[in-house]
Amino acid sequence: MKQIKAEIIAIGDELLYGQIVDTNSHWISQELDLKGVKVVRKTTVGDNRGDILKAFAEADKRADLVLITGGLGPTQDDLTKPLLAEYFDCPIREVPEAVEAITAFFKRRGREMTPLNVLQGHLPSCCTYVPNEVGTAPGMWFERNDTYWMSMPGVPHEMKKLMRDFVLPKLDRIFELPVIFHKLIKTAGIGESWLSDMINDWENALPDHIRLAYLPSLGHVKLRLTGFGTNLEKIQAEVEQQIRLVLPRIEKYVYGFDGEKLETAIAKLLKNSGKTLALAESCSGGYVSHLITTVPGSSAYFQGSVVPYHNQFKEKILGVSSETLKNCGAVSEETVQEMAQGVRNLFDSDFGLSSSGIAGPDGGSEEKPVGTVWIAVSNRKETKTKKLQLTQDRMLNIQLTGVALLNLLRIFISKIEE
Amino acid sequence: MKQIKAEIIAIGDELLYGQIVDTNSHWISQELDLKGVKVVRKTTVGDNRGDILKAFAEADKRADLVLITGGLGPTQDDLTKPLLAEYFDCPIREVPEAVEAITAFFKRRGREMTPLNVLQGHLPSCCTYVPNEVGTAPGMWFERNDTYWMSMPGVPHEMKKLMRDFVLPKLDRIFELPVIFHKLIKTAGIGESWLSDMINDWENALPDHIRLAYLPSLGHVKLRLTGFGTNLEKIQAEVEQQIRLVLPRIEKYVYGFDGEKLETAIAKLLKNSGKTLALAESCSGGYVSHLITTVPGSSAYFQGSVVPYHNQFKEKILGVSSETLKNCGAVSEETVQEMAQGVRNLFDSDFGLSSSGIAGPDGGSEEKPVGTVWIAVSNRKETKTKKLQLTQDRMLNIQLTGVALLNLLRIFISKIEE
């Protein structure tokens, strides 16, 4: 079987000048890897005719598939479309279907369309028009000499939708791809090297055609098992057998598999048990409420939350006693206990979650330095607390508190012994 | 003055497979941009002899400066050093000074040194050894035919130290660098093509040495003006003169400049006026509270928020009348008005902000389809509302509501006529 080679070309001065981080190329890499397509090169060029044409010609020589992002805006500095027309030697013509789609897009948004937007529906005559339902710049698909090309907008959610709806399914049809089966084990509350120590001998005993990768991210570690073969059912069964072997060792850290997130794992736990949740977020400032409400259908179990950013509101709205606040301080085990219980009462929920800490950069003391955070979870019978000692970075502290709070709730609901 | 052109080459399979995000290239881009060195291309290749040599040869043709990261580890799959020796046609020899430095590094860390680490002190004889004080792989500087090359480890803090201590100061000595001045104008509440229509003639009249770029992101458009010259004060004055010319046309959409965000612009407005803010977030679910509390020092003006995810709590906690909820529904102008007023009373704040909408994917109706969102802002004297018709995507709807809500507050505080 031939190894399919892909190149990714990102276009835009703002990427070269470092004003925007190119997250697109990384995301595309991951998706192609999952399909068994090998990315052999990523190139970034500026809004410059010669550089873009040279990048096209170089990729053409090496790759079976060329994915291009950026340079499709309606303004003069956006060169991708005219240069693709030039490179493939075909004129730009109106595509009535594309103009209609753009018109409908503006109508749905209730916004006025400009002549420049109409021109976004004019495309090189040799490309296949690929509708972009979430933006104004259409996708363009080209084929020549056994090389396939796709041009997409640089706006990440538009690019992702075009990849998911059009490009990725298309790859299965035009290429003979190897059979690959991936499974992700999602963990929280444990570091990469600790996890590695716990499963080291299992990892070393894996057969050659099954590979393990550690993918750490903020507060989480994902374990990715990848099996290679010729028969999907067989390779899937083998990967799942390996997961059954390793799972008992790390079970209490595992919140889910594949696309599951901590907040969707909690959604499942709460829905299954018919229980409800309320939050009192001080140092996490609404971040955990945000995570929970990103899940479709969260109104079934999420009652609401309070962000009492000043002590008087911890007292007034949540009923934390003024003695506790005076004697123990806002960042204390006692305060988060009363907050978790208070918010449960206010929203009449089964579970209450709370956070209070010093996110930084200011507000730390010798006794309670920046990064000191208390969190609590409470039900009608008991309240559990945890102290975190995080970083100097405000944003990191908010995010790490979020993961810790959701994981505390997961462990509490699942009745896992720590 | 000659424009100095640089290329960045990142080496490593893990970058192509999407297992690691290449933050190095972005950081290097920013640093070179500040120096007036123009990055003309970024390339990522895997741990593959042919691909790496080809990337070297291509960069050699185009660039005055080639910065290479990665592929310098002690193991067999790290190819950068032997391939640089091959490319520059010189043997690898022990550099006693480098071996000594590596030995000292291990001693300081109390770790054992392996024979492979000793070999990290062997370098191509045609390079200048650049000590790496924070790691084991030395930097290597090459010069040939007026092109300068630096090879650095892929570990970000090691690369940054080598750049700061050695490469950046060296650039000032070897190149005559131009003077560049960038300024970003940040806008919200208007699309790229509308903006372009409003300033088109100004844009076309810009002198050749001042360039404009449109950088759109979710709900925002940034305008970047870049001036090139020989005298920083002069070019800065020219760019700022151009900004004074264009600003009156787009002023009501401009929330700030350069690194400013909508939430920091609001921080400034509230701090300057000594006013405070409280939020009632229904469909935005805590997202806006999160944005506001990411700003250091936000406790000076942010009193707190309530996420009343069910109607009963809009009534119980915020005092929305049951008649309003019954007659107009939760997603209505009347409800967000009462929410904004209610949360202002609850937190005794100067401003109250509220949102209520159908984030989706479920819950829409013919009259109020998914993406229908009402937002409101209120002070002691008046309440303003706005209806948004957003997308089918839950996450996008949350984020776009966030931008619209912050922008509504900005316009209200600044007393801008819409």
Side-chain angles (χ1 to χ4, degrees):
Chain A
M1 192 186 304
K2 188 194 159 199
Q3 167 78 67
I4 304 300
K5 290 182 182 172
E7 296 208 14
I8 303 169
I9 301 176
I11 297 175
D13 279 347
E14 69 278 14
L15 301 169
L16 292 179
Y17 299 168
Q19 296 196 342
I20 283 187
V21 185
D22 172 25
T23 56
N24 288 340
S25 298
H26 178 247
W27 187 88
I28 293 172
S29 283
Q30 288 183 314
E31 293 299 313
L32 293 182
D33 186 48
L34 293 175
K35 283 265 173 217
V37 172
K38 187 170 182 173
V39 177
V40 292
R41 187 180 287 230
K42 295 195 233 178
T43 304
T44 309
V45 288
D47 301 314
N48 175 294
R49 182 177 176 277
D51 292 346
I52 294 173
L53 287 174
K54 217 175 281 173
F56 289 170
E58 287 171 12
D60 208 349
K61 269 185 268 167
R62 287 182 298 243
D64 306 299
L65 174 69
V66 182
L67 299 178
I68 303 166
T69 60
L72 292 184
T75 52
Q76 291 172 21
D77 56 341
D78 291 298
L79 298 174
T80 304
K81 190 168 67 183
L83 292 179
L84 280 167
E86 181 177 341
Y87 188 72
F88 287 101
D89 197 18
C90 62
I92 290 178
R93 290 197 189 129
E94 180 179 347
V95 177
E97 204 188 337
V99 174
E100 252 170 58
I102 295 168
T103 311
F105 177 83
F106 276 90
K107 206 172 163 197
R108 273 204 306 282
R109 294 276 182 108
R111 277 165 42 196
E112 202 123 334
M113 198 166 159
T114 73
L116 283 175
N117 294 126
V118 176
L119 286 178
Q120 291 193 290
H122 293 220
L123 305 176
S125 62
C126 52
C127 83
T128 303
Y129 157 60
V130 184
N132 173 2
E133 291 166 24
V134 291
T136 58
M140 294 176 276
W141 177 263
F142 299 84
E143 303 185 9
R144 189 168 72 180
N145 304 334
D146 287 331
T147 299
Y148 300 87
W149 300 67
M150 177 76 180
S151 159
M152 297 171 282
V155 183
H157 78 271
E158 297 181 26
M159 178 279 294
K160 287 179 187 172
K161 185 142 175 66
L162 286 168
M163 282 291 292
R164 286 193 184 114
D165 292 356
F166 181 83
V167 179
L168 295 172
K170 185 132 190 141
L171 299 184
D172 290 325
R173 293 196 300 274
I174 56 176
F175 296 126
E176 192 191 346
L177 296 173
V179 173
I180 295 187
F181 181 75
H182 291 286
K183 187 130 184 163
L184 288 170
I185 307 174
K186 304 283 205 71
T187 75
I190 185 168
E192 184 179 356
S193 52
W194 282 16
L195 204 55
S196 172
D197 279 350
M198 292 170 72
I199 62 174
N200 197 31
D201 55 323
W202 166 82
E203 181 180 351
N204 289 334
L206 284 172
D208 275 352
H209 64 290
I210 298 185
R211 283 192 227 146
L212 177 73
Y214 291 83
L215 310 174
S217 57
L218 213 69
H220 302 263
V221 178
K222 289 174 254 182
L223 295 173
R224 189 182 64 205
L225 271 174
T226 305
F228 299 85
T230 50
N231 177 310
L232 181 63
E233 273 175 38
K234 186 165 167 279
I235 191 66
Q236 177 168 357
E238 283 187 75
V239 167
E240 276 167 0
Q241 170 60 17
Q242 290 296 342
I243 288 175
R244 274 193 296 278
L245 281 176
V246 77
L247 216 49
R249 302 191 189 183
I250 55 172
E251 200 146 33
K252 70 177 179 178
Y253 304 107
V254 175
Y255 62 81
F257 298 93
D258 296 325
E260 229 167 329
K261 296 177 177 182
L262 208 34
E263 52 270 28
T264 56
I266 279 165
K268 219 195 269 178
L269 286 169
L270 288 170
K271 271 190 180 167
N272 287 347
S273 60
K275 307 272 185 183
T276 59
L277 173 67
L279 301 177
E281 298 194 66
S282 188
C283 72
S284 52
Y287 177 62
V288 183
S289 306
H290 168 54
L291 289 181
I292 284 178
T293 54
T294 58
V295 180
S298 44
S299 59
Y301 50 83
F302 179 60
Q303 300 286 85
S305 65
V306 173
V307 179
Y309 227 52
H310 286 274
N311 284 351
Q312 66 192 99
F313 304 114
K314 294 184 177 77
E315 210 178 315
K316 174 181 165 188
I317 305 175
L318 297 172
V320 176
S321 83
S322 56
E323 284 73 35
T324 301
L325 288 167
K326 213 175 87 186
N327 298 334
C328 311
V331 179
S332 66
E333 181 166 25
E334 292 79 359
T335 295
V336 290
Q337 278 173 334
E338 292 184 34
M339 284 170 70
Q341 291 156 1
V343 83
R344 196 165 46 67
N345 290 332
L346 180 67
F347 285 97
D348 191 26
S349 64
D350 298 297
F351 297 102
L353 270 182
S354 64
S355 71
S356 184
I358 298 144
D362 302 318
S365 64
E366 196 147 324
E367 196 200 347
K368 294 175 184 173
V370 167
T372 307
V373 175
W374 276 97
I375 57 176
V377 58
S378 161
N379 66 11
R380 288 174 215 281
K381 283 184 196 151
E382 58 175 333
T383 301
K384 290 211 167 179
T385 59
K386 191 167 179 174
K387 187 184 182 182
L388 312 171
Q389 200 61 59
L390 303 173
T391 74
Q392 294 300 304
D393 184 278
R394 183 178 183 88
M395 194 64 194
L396 264 182
N397 289 341
I398 291 171
Q399 293 173 320
L400 290 169
T401 299
V403 176
L405 205 51
L406 291 175
N407 203 38
L408 182 72
L409 175 64
R410 179 184 71 82
I411 286 168
F412 190 73
I413 301 179
S414 316
K415 300 192 176 74
I416 293 167
E417 287 298 317
E418 279 208 279
Chain B
M1 192 189 302
K2 189 191 157 201
Q3 166 79 68
I4 303 302
K5 292 182 181 172
E7 296 208 16
I8 302 169
I9 302 176
I11 297 175
D13 279 346
E14 70 279 12
L15 301 170
L16 291 180
Y17 300 166
Q19 296 195 342
I20 285 186
V21 185
D22 173 23
T23 55
N24 287 341
S25 298
H26 178 247
W27 187 87
I28 294 173
S29 283
Q30 289 184 313
E31 294 299 314
L32 292 183
D33 185 47
L34 292 174
K35 283 265 171 217
V37 172
K38 185 170 184 175
V39 176
V40 292
R41 187 179 289 232
K42 295 194 233 181
T43 303
T44 308
V45 288
D47 300 313
N48 175 294
R49 181 177 177 277
D51 292 345
I52 294 173
L53 287 174
K54 218 175 283 173
F56 288 170
E58 287 172 10
D60 208 349
K61 269 184 269 169
R62 288 183 297 244
D64 306 299
L65 174 69
V66 183
L67 299 178
I68 304 166
T69 60
L72 292 184
T75 55
Q76 287 174 24
D77 56 341
D78 290 298
L79 298 175
T80 304
K81 190 168 66 183
L83 292 179
L84 280 168
E86 183 178 338
Y87 188 73
F88 287 100
D89 197 17
C90 62
I92 290 179
R93 291 198 188 131
E94 181 178 345
V95 177
E97 205 189 335
V99 175
E100 248 170 62
I102 296 169
T103 311
F105 177 82
F106 275 91
K107 208 174 161 191
R108 276 202 306 280
R109 294 279 179 108
R111 276 165 45 196
E112 203 117 337
M113 198 165 158
T114 71
L116 282 177
N117 295 124
V118 177
L119 286 178
Q120 292 193 286
H122 293 220
L123 305 175
S125 61
C126 52
C127 82
T128 304
Y129 157 61
V130 185
N132 173 0
E133 290 166 25
V134 290
T136 58
M140 293 176 278
W141 177 264
F142 299 84
E143 304 186 8
R144 190 170 71 181
N145 305 334
D146 286 332
T147 300
Y148 299 87
W149 299 67
M150 177 76 180
S151 159
M152 296 171 282
V155 182
H157 77 271
E158 297 182 27
M159 178 279 294
K160 286 179 189 172
K161 187 147 175 61
L162 286 168
M163 283 290 292
R164 285 191 184 117
D165 292 357
F166 181 82
V167 179
L168 295 173
K170 184 135 189 136
L171 299 184
D172 289 325
R173 292 196 300 271
I174 58 177
F175 296 125
E176 191 192 345
L177 296 173
V179 172
I180 295 190
F181 181 74
H182 290 291
K183 186 128 183 164
L184 289 169
I185 306 174
K186 306 283 206 71
T187 75
I190 184 165
E192 184 180 356
S193 51
W194 275 18
L195 206 53
S196 172
D197 279 352
M198 293 170 72
I199 62 175
N200 198 31
D201 55 325
W202 167 81
E203 181 181 353
N204 289 333
L206 282 173
D208 275 352
H209 65 290
I210 297 184
R211 284 194 228 143
L212 177 73
Y214 292 81
L215 310 174
S217 58
L218 211 68
H220 302 263
V221 178
K222 287 173 255 182
L223 296 174
R224 189 187 61 212
L225 271 175
T226 305
F228 301 83
T230 50
N231 176 311
L232 180 62
E233 271 173 40
K234 185 165 168 279
I235 189 66
Q236 178 168 355
E238 282 187 76
V239 167
E240 277 167 359
Q241 170 60 16
Q242 289 297 341
I243 288 176
R244 273 192 298 276
L245 280 177
V246 78
L247 217 50
R249 303 193 189 184
I250 56 172
E251 199 146 34
K252 69 179 181 176
Y253 305 107
V254 175
Y255 61 82
F257 299 92
D258 297 326
E260 230 167 327
K261 296 177 177 181
L262 206 35
E263 54 269 27
T264 56
I266 279 165
K268 219 196 269 179
L269 286 170
L270 289 170
K271 270 189 181 169
N272 287 349
S273 59
K275 306 272 182 180
T276 60
L277 174 67
L279 301 178
E281 297 194 64
S282 189
C283 72
S284 53
Y287 177 62
V288 184
S289 306
H290 168 54
L291 289 181
I292 284 177
T293 55
T294 58
V295 180
S298 44
S299 58
Y301 50 84
F302 179 59
Q303 299 287 82
S305 65
V306 172
V307 180
Y309 227 51
H310 288 273
N311 285 351
Q312 65 190 102
F313 304 115
K314 294 185 177 76
E315 209 179 316
K316 175 182 165 188
I317 305 176
L318 296 175
V320 176
S321 85
S322 56
E323 284 71 35
T324 302
L325 287 166
K326 214 175 86 187
N327 298 335
C328 310
V331 180
S332 66
E333 180 167 25
E334 293 80 359
T335 295
V336 291
Q337 278 173 334
E338 292 185 32
M339 284 171 70
Q341 291 154 2
V343 82
R344 197 166 44 68
N345 289 333
L346 180 67
F347 285 97
D348 191 25
S349 63
D350 298 296
F351 297 101
L353 270 182
S354 65
S355 71
S356 185
I358 299 145
D362 303 319
S365 65
E366 196 147 323
E367 196 200 347
K368 294 176 185 174
V370 167
T372 309
V373 175
W374 276 98
I375 57 177
V377 60
S378 162
N379 65 11
R380 289 173 216 278
K381 283 184 198 153
E382 59 174 333
T383 301
K384 291 214 166 176
T385 60
K386 190 168 181 174
K387 187 183 182 182
L388 312 172
Q389 201 61 57
L390 303 174
T391 75
Q392 295 300 304
D393 184 279
R394 182 178 183 86
M395 193 65 194
L396 265 182
N397 289 342
I398 293 171
Q399 292 173 321
L400 290 169
T401 300
V403 175
L405 206 50
L406 291 177
N407 203 38
L408 182 72
L409 175 64
R410 179 184 71 81
I411 287 167
F412 191 73
I413 299 180
S414 315
K415 300 192 175 75
I416 294 167
E417 287 299 317
E418 278 208 281

